Amino acid sequence: MWEYKAPRDEKVIVNGTDTWIYKKSQKQAVRTRFSKEAYSQVPIALLNNLENLRADFDITLLNETR
């Protein structure tokens, strides 16, 4: 799961079979079939610039509480 902040304000959840995109401004969720081909570049994009990862993203580990 990752969550975008304003102005995009979306939440994306990928569970291995489906991709859910919730658009808060539209109060709408869209579900599509997960495609490894479509998301194969996401890890590369994230790892490409590890130096600024925490600057660009709010990272929370599963065992951390907000």
Side-chain angles (χ1 to χ4, degrees):
M1 179 187 84
W2 63 92
E3 189 171 353
Y4 294 97
K5 299 296 180 191
R8 194 164 175 175
D9 216 11
E10 294 178 352
K11 188 179 285 189
V12 179
I13 301 169
V14 179
N15 68 5
T17 58
D18 297 306
T19 301
W20 291 85
I21 301 173
Y22 174 67
K23 298 184 180 198
K24 187 175 181 179
S25 62
Q26 297 175 8
K27 297 180 183 175
Q28 180 181 31
V30 177
R31 183 183 77 174
T32 59
R33 281 286 191 203
F34 174 74
S35 166
K36 289 183 182 179
E37 292 79 24
Y39 286 93
S40 65
Q41 297 301 313
V42 172
I44 294 169
L46 289 174
L47 296 175
N48 191 33
N49 197 1
L50 283 176
E51 295 171 358
N52 295 324
L53 196 60
R54 287 202 180 268
D56 296 335
F57 297 93
D58 291 328
I59 300 172
T60 304
L61 299 176
L62 290 177
N63 60 354
E64 291 181 2
T65 57
R66 289 185 180 208

